[in-house]
Each structure stands twice: as C-alpha cells, then as structure tokens.
C-alpha cells in the first residue's frame, strides 16, 4: 500500500547514542586490560630478576663447594687461580641509586703466594660477568654488598646483611626478598 509518502520507512542500523555507549564500554574495558597487563609485566620482570640473582648465587655456592678453578658462563671459559689456592666464589652487588645503575657480578677469589686474597675478574669494575638488572628493578639493600662462599667452610660471608631486597620502581608492585641467613638461598 502506498500512502502517498506519508509512511515512514525505517532503515536498519544503530542510533548515535547506542554507538557512543558501545564504544565507551569498549574503551573502559581496554583501559582496564592494558593496566592489568602492564602491572603483570612489571611483576614478571621483578620475579625474573630475583630468580636470576638466586641462580647466580647458587652457581657461586656450587662452584665453591666443587672447588673448581674453571667455570663457563655465556659461552666463555674463565680460568683463574692456576698457581694459587682457591679461596671461594662470590657475587658482588652494586647499587648506585644516584645513577640508577643496579648490577651484580660473580668472581673467583684466590689466595696469592703472599697470602693476599685477589678477586678475578675485579667485581668493583666493569667485567664480562657483570649482569645488569632490568630497567625499573631496584635494589633496596646496602649500596654495595659482597656475598662470598668460602671453599672449606661451606658457609656464606656477607658484607651488608643477610638479605637482598629487590623491588619494582613502578607503583603497585611488591618486592622480593632474597634471604641467605640460614645457609641456603631462598626468595620470600
């Protein structure tokens, strides 16, 4: 039937208000999802940094217990203490909060013929065994810390306390404490 143009022809589609509501809901959900993902990635970076540090501490402890004067890291073989007595292995942690430079490095300690302990490579300087913490991960422990595993005693000698606290510089992320007060290394 034709009513001479008086009938209203309704076309399919959405109104402007409906589209605005749908896009607003999508934007809110996207924002929540992005914030959750960023928080998750910061937490994972902190967990990985703590796990890597514990792995290096356990490697130094294991090498000290085995009394090896040679070890491999990153495809390189390091031979030290050839004509000297092995004193142990250690991990030197450097936390320069002023420059946001947080790193650690493993070293071999040898006793020279004159009875002086020497560390190879020098942990206080830049060396090939230096591992830099990821951006945004900071050390809340003393500025410089030396954790040493002597060969014969099997204990842990530490300058600066019995734990290392790593935390994310970003808000809302928890911290990880690496504890070695009881002779074994654990993450709390």
């Amino acid at each position: 039937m034709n009513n001479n143009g008086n009938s209203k022809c309704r076309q399919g589609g959405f109104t402007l208000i409906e589209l605005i509501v749908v896009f607003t809901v999508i934007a809110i959900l996207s924002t929540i999802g992005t914030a959750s993902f960023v928080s998750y990635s910061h937490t994972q970076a902190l967990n990985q940094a703590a796990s890597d540090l514990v792995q290096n501490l356990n490697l130094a402890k294991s090498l000290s217990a085995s009394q090896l004067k040679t070890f491999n890291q990153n495809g390189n073989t390091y031979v030290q203490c050839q004509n000297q007595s092995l004193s142990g292995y250690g991990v030197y942690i450097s936390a320069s909060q002023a420059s946001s430079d947080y790193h650690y490095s493993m070293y071999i300690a040898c006793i020279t013929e004159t009875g002086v302990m020497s560390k190879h490579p020098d942990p206080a300087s830049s060396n090939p065994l230096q591992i830099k913490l990821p951006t945004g991960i900071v050390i809340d422990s003393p500025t410089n810390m030396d954790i040493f595993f002597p060969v014969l005693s099997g204990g842990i000698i530490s300058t600066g306390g019995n734990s290392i606290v790593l935390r994310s510089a970003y808000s809302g992320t928890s911290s990880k404490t690496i504890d070695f007060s009881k002779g074994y290394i654990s993450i709390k």
Side-chain angles (χ1 to χ4, degrees):
M1 285 176 48
N2 190 356
N3 292 341
N4 297 329
N6 289 339
S7 76
K8 293 183 179 179
C9 181
R10 176 154 172 104
Q11 294 180 347
F14 299 103
T15 65
L16 181 60
I17 298 296
E18 291 171 331
L19 290 174
I20 289 173
V21 168
V22 167
F23 284 123
T24 302
V25 169
I26 289 172
I28 290 170
L29 292 175
S30 300
T31 303
I32 292 170
T34 302
S36 295
F37 177 74
V38 168
S39 175
Y40 175 76
S41 85
H42 291 160
T43 301
Q44 289 304 325
L46 178 62
N47 289 342
Q48 186 64 46
S51 178
D52 289 347
L53 180 53
V54 166
Q55 181 180 0
N56 275 282
L57 288 167
N58 280 324
L59 176 62
K61 184 177 179 181
S62 174
L63 288 170
S64 181
S66 69
Q67 299 184 16
L68 290 176
K69 295 182 180 182
T70 303
F71 71 99
N72 296 314
Q73 184 143 356
N74 302 327
N76 297 320
T77 300
Y78 297 93
V79 179
Q80 300 295 334
C81 304
Q82 289 179 332
N83 298 324
Q84 302 168 347
S85 297
L86 177 66
S87 178
Y89 283 80
V91 175
Y92 181 79
I93 298 170
S94 175
S96 174
Q97 296 172 344
S99 65
S100 299
D101 182 27
Y102 301 95
H103 61 270
Y104 57 92
S105 57
M106 190 166 59
Y107 64 87
I108 304 171
C110 308
I111 302 292
T112 64
E113 295 160 356
T114 59
V116 177
M117 183 164 61
S118 62
K119 298 176 181 178
H120 305 281
D122 182 10
S125 64
S126 180
N127 68 61
L129 301 178
Q130 192 174 83
I131 298 170
K132 191 169 172 65
L133 290 177
T135 303
I137 305 297
V138 297
I139 299 174
D140 276 347
S141 298
T143 307
N144 295 323
M145 186 176 213
D146 193 357
I147 300 133
F148 183 67
F149 303 96
V151 171
L152 297 177
S153 72
I156 300 174
I157 300 171
S158 171
T159 61
N162 292 325
S163 65
I164 304 164
V165 179
L166 298 180
R167 70 171 175 80
S168 176
Y170 307 107
S171 62
T173 305
S174 63
S175 62
K176 295 288 180 183
T177 301
I178 300 168
D179 182 44
F180 42 90
S181 61
K182 296 179 179 148
Y184 58 90
I185 303 160
S186 64
I187 299 176
K188 293 181 179 180

